[in-house]
Amino acid sequence: MLPYKSSKSALTSVEQFLMREYSENKNLTGELALLLSGITLASKHIANHVKRDGLTGVSDKTNSTNVHGEEVKKLDELADKMLIESLGLNADVAIISSEENENPVILQESGGKYIIFFDPLDGSSNLNVGISVGTIFSIMEKTKQSYTDPLEIILQPGHRQIAAGYIMYGSSTVLVFTTGKGVHMFTLDPHVGDYLLSRSNITFPENGKCFSINEGNSQSFSEGYHKWLDYVKSPDAGPYTARYIGSLVADFHRTLIQGGIFVYPTTKKSPEGKLRLMYEANPIAFIAEQANGMAIDGKSRIMEIQPHSLHQRVPLIVGEKKEVNKILSFIS
Ligand code: AHM
Ligand code: MG
């Protein structure tokens, strides 16, 4: 048997795919393709570290906390550094904003074209138990070259994203991204050392009966969420299955591939929601909409929210349209 699917797709690298897309996609410039390849290169290094967790101490704590007051692991720091260094080599990158850094990293005050947002290692609290973690990224254009405060050009709503994606370090390492023309998935072939196209133009399957929410927080949920939870567990609606990993990239990836819905509402502990708008909710929302799904904060479209701060949190409801509209009918 052939080691690959006998289709052309497994013989298409991410670089080849981007080059082919050039002619058809106005969002996709040579600079953007180069930038994406900087992210994929860093992600290959991160994947190598994740795979050797337990041997190298990368999931050990650093004894420091980040801007969110969360414990930082060695690989959080390493992933952040690798992405910043890899992207820093690109003359088109003006500003990098990361979950791990309180302030944006200004690479070029005047000059540069792109602003990159990322969560270098999402779900890192799962690292030492072998559960999937991920890198999430979002790319926007610099709207003007001169500014007094970088936040003037950084705080743009999600509909201005020109590309977004994630890498999931799981049983396989997969890259999923959009440049505004469909959602495409590449699998890292460890023998070839490259991301190879595994699925193109992904859309949420309809009738996926999976709901994903941390029910441990249910005492904090408002009445509408309780009614929705009763609904998904009722024999009339079912059979729904509950799945919750606690790693956004992995929970979203499952939702994208198998259908259903992922929900993280406001809680007593996180009254604004837990997930971060600029580098978690926005990129996931862009991918979801490109895959014919929906992403809202409970009321509005995630990508319409005008951010007021870099590390702003937001509630997130994302998934197949029918499922998102169903929960809306209970909570609105
Ligand atoms: P992180 O970016 O610091 O890892 O935190 C975000 C993670 C998400 O991956 C996940 O969806 C969520 O936190 C899980 O939160 P909880 O443990 O409260 O269910
Ligand atoms: Mg995260």
Side-chain angles (χ1 to χ4, degrees), residues 70 99 119 122-124 214 244 246-248 262 264 274-276 280:
E70 298 156 349
E99 177 181 318
D119 179 352
D122 177 62
S124 60
N214 183 346
Y244 189 76
S247 190
L248 175 65
F262 171 84
Y264 206 114
K274 180 176 183 190
L275 301 169
R276 270 56 56 118
E280 292 179 323

Side-chain angles (χ1 to χ4, degrees), residues 208-212 232 238-244 254 258-261:
K209 291 280 187 189
C210 188
F211 69 100
S212 188
V232 291
Y240 272 86
T241 301
R243 291 280 185 275
Y244 189 76
R254 185 200 53 251
Q258 295 187 345
I261 189 164

